[in-house]
Amino acid sequence: MPAISSNKPYRVGRSKTGLGLFATKPIKKGTRIIRYFGPILDSRIPAHDEIENKYLFELNGRWTIDGSVRKNFARYINHSCRPNAESDVRPRERKVFIRAIKNIEPGDEINYDYGTDYFKAYLKPIGCKCDSCEKKRKKLRAEARAERAKVKARAERKATKAGARSPKSKVAKKKKLNGHAIGKANGRARA
């Protein structure tokens, strides 16, 4: 892992989704954190348009930044549906900066929303792993467990009631034939 100078407010570290960028110092809302950089690709050139990796950052319909360069630490910033940073895209300058939209404390992971196209192509098939989506899934799983427990408890109560009623119902019920009760007396059937 390349070393990051200590005067930077971030570091690369292990996160739930692999590697991530973490704050090492408090970062105030509105502060420019890091620049997303790499070779600029022109979509009109077929060789550039065929490049396929997860670090492509589209500036507009024509220009794209290939952020797979190892010195581009911004590529380690993960997606979040409730981010603490956002991308500040400047297509005319062909630059992208990541800016804080919330106060970020030391140790917090820096993240931003990748957008719907990237989400549909890469994240939706495997499921979003950001904290807000994990909490939402955890809550839904807990609700589903509680619902299954309720259904099971209802079924057990119903079975218990049916079991308690069945001996009485056998004694109380008599077969009827043409409106007349039929029962046994002294081992013989009566009519």
Side-chain angles (χ1 to χ4, degrees):
M1 184 66 45
I4 300 173
S5 71
S6 61
N7 64 350
K8 300 288 184 187
Y10 52 81
R11 68 170 176 81
V12 175
R14 186 69 52 199
S15 76
K16 286 190 287 185
T17 57
L19 292 176
L21 203 66
F22 292 85
T24 57
K25 299 176 182 177
I27 302 171
K28 291 189 178 193
K29 179 181 177 179
T31 305
R32 195 184 286 174
I33 303 169
I34 192 170
R35 180 175 168 211
Y36 196 96
F37 68 91
I40 305 293
L41 306 176
D42 187 348
S43 64
R44 296 184 305 175
I45 299 172
H48 288 182
D49 201 31
E50 292 172 2
I51 293 175
E52 192 64 36
N53 69 49
K54 292 183 179 183
Y55 301 112
L56 297 177
F57 198 111
E58 189 174 294
L59 296 171
N60 56 28
R62 181 175 175 193
W63 301 106
T64 303
I65 297 174
D66 181 1
S68 61
V69 180
R70 293 198 47 92
K71 287 185 177 182
N72 179 25
F73 293 114
R75 74 184 185 147
Y76 295 111
I77 299 175
N78 289 314
H79 165 81
S80 177
C81 295
R82 292 184 180 239
N84 56 16
E86 68 182 0
S87 58
D88 182 12
V89 181
R90 299 182 179 183
R92 286 185 176 211
E93 299 171 21
R94 297 185 189 145
K95 292 182 180 179
V96 174
F97 294 98
I98 308 302
R99 185 171 39 94
I101 57 173
K102 297 178 182 176
N103 289 333
I104 303 172
E105 299 300 319
D108 289 351
E109 184 174 5
I110 300 167
N111 46 46
Y112 66 95
D113 190 350
Y114 285 180
T116 55
D117 292 339
Y118 188 94
F119 186 86
K120 286 178 183 176
Y122 295 105
L123 299 175
K124 194 172 185 178
I126 60 169
C128 181
K129 304 246 188 289
C130 74
D131 286 337
S132 63
C133 288
E134 286 288 334
K135 287 176 186 173
K136 195 185 308 178
R137 277 196 295 276
K138 195 175 189 179
K139 182 180 176 187
L140 290 173
R141 285 192 302 264
E143 288 171 355
R145 277 194 306 275
E147 185 61 31
R148 284 194 304 271
K150 280 182 188 178
V151 168
K152 186 177 178 183
R154 256 188 254 135
E156 287 174 355
R157 282 195 306 269
K158 196 174 184 180
T160 309
K161 284 182 182 178
R165 265 190 289 171
S166 62
K168 294 177 189 173
S169 61
K170 285 181 184 175
V171 173
K173 287 186 181 178
K174 292 183 180 180
K175 291 186 180 181
K176 290 189 176 185
L177 181 62
N178 294 334
H180 298 286
I182 301 175
K184 286 188 173 181
N186 298 329
R188 292 188 287 176
R190 291 188 315 185

